[in-house]
Amino acid sequence: AKEDALKFTGTVEEVLPGNMFRVKVENMPQTLLCYMGGKLKQHKIRIILGDSVKIEVSPYDLTKGRISYRL
């Protein structure tokens, strides 16, 4: 399951409650609804508006993703 994820780079456009974010992906016209991955939560890494992030998206649902790395 994790090996099949699509990887993209984008920027955070909106910060939502509950560790959710709207991320604008470089190669896609729409924004994705993303949540923070486990290691980001575990190490209390903060993500703010305008940050560049790496996200993983399931090939089955291209509207939601997981933030895996903050650049």
Side-chain angles (χ1 to χ4, degrees):
K2 286 188 179 181
E3 300 85 27
D4 297 338
L6 305 172
K7 298 181 191 303
F8 296 109
T9 305
T11 58
V12 176
E13 283 194 337
E14 186 179 357
V15 179
L16 303 170
N19 288 332
M20 300 290 281
F21 304 91
R22 291 222 184 265
V23 178
K24 175 71 174 153
V25 180
E26 296 171 353
N27 302 331
M28 299 173 77
Q30 74 268 21
T31 59
L32 301 177
L33 183 65
C34 298
Y35 62 92
M36 289 176 57
K39 291 289 183 180
L40 293 174
K41 281 190 207 175
Q42 180 181 358
H43 296 294
K44 297 180 178 137
I45 295 174
R46 305 240 177 189
I47 296 177
I48 59 173
L49 188 68
D51 279 348
S52 294
V53 292
K54 287 185 183 177
I55 60 173
E56 298 175 355
V57 179
S58 169
Y60 301 109
D61 187 7
L62 297 175
T63 62
K64 296 180 183 173
R66 175 187 327 116
I67 298 175
S68 59
Y69 192 76
R70 178 179 168 232
L71 300 173

